[in-house]
Amino acid sequence: MKRRIKFIFIITPLLICALAVRLCRSNPSSRMQKIPAATETEQQQWLSEQGLQTEKISVQEVTIPHDLGENYMNYAALQEHQMLPLSEHAGSRAECITYEITNAASQMYAELLVADGILIGAQCYAPENGVTLTMQGTPYTASSDTAELT
């Protein structure tokens, strides 16, 4: 009887952990970040956490395409790399908020894509050379092109 109870108390937690790991691996959206960005204060706070000093310069209403195919493949891959849930919002309306990065050595911009109050996409770029960077400032090597949302 004691052996059976010991077996249940040891094996059951291991099975639960294995199942949880498997579910997380099979559902990539569960690993995506849910960063609040409904207000300018939340956006500025997140940008500051990335080491950026910024000034808001524009807000544009955009539609995320239903199909994030070839035209948006690199942009979608960048967001997945940063664990931002762009693909979960395909077909949705969003705001594209552009900030000028004031503590950069050359002219740089940060774009935040916000839907339902959540940050779903982000990138930094230099307009003179078109290089796209992750929000951590590292070059994103999938492509130097960025897709424009309409």
Side-chain angles (χ1 to χ4, degrees):
M1 179 77 164
K2 285 185 180 182
R3 237 183 201 175
R4 188 174 182 180
I5 292 173
K6 191 184 280 187
F7 179 79
I8 290 172
F9 282 112
I10 292 173
I11 296 301
T12 302
L14 291 174
L15 290 174
I16 291 171
C17 287
L19 179 62
V21 167
R22 185 166 188 199
L23 287 174
C24 285
R25 285 187 179 160
S26 66
N27 185 2
S29 66
S30 68
R31 295 188 305 257
M32 293 295 164
Q33 299 183 62
K34 302 291 185 200
I35 300 168
T39 66
E40 186 172 355
T41 301
E42 290 173 333
Q43 296 161 17
Q44 288 278 5
Q45 178 181 348
W46 187 79
L47 288 164
S48 178
E49 289 169 2
Q50 308 312 304
L52 304 175
Q53 296 172 5
T54 59
E55 287 183 26
K56 185 179 193 177
I57 57 172
S58 71
V59 178
Q60 181 181 3
E61 184 99 3
V62 297
T63 300
I64 311 301
H66 285 284
D67 177 19
L68 298 175
E70 285 186 40
N71 291 339
Y72 297 92
M73 189 180 309
N74 293 330
Y75 186 76
L78 170 63
Q79 303 323 314
E80 188 173 317
H81 172 78
Q82 297 182 124
M83 298 179 61
L84 295 174
L86 176 72
S87 61
E88 294 174 23
H89 294 271
S92 300
R93 302 285 298 157
E95 286 187 328
C96 180
I97 303 120
T98 305
Y99 288 88
E100 182 174 6
I101 301 171
T102 59
N103 63 333
S106 61
Q107 189 177 29
M108 293 283 298
Y109 295 95
E111 279 185 352
L112 304 182
L113 203 54
V114 177
D116 302 323
I118 301 294
L119 183 64
I120 64 169
Q123 68 177 358
C124 291
Y125 65 92
E128 70 270 357
N129 61 17
V131 172
T132 300
L133 305 173
T134 67
M135 292 308 293
Q136 291 74 36
T138 56
Y140 185 67
T141 55
S143 171
S144 60
D145 299 329
T146 60
E148 297 224 5
L149 299 171
T150 58

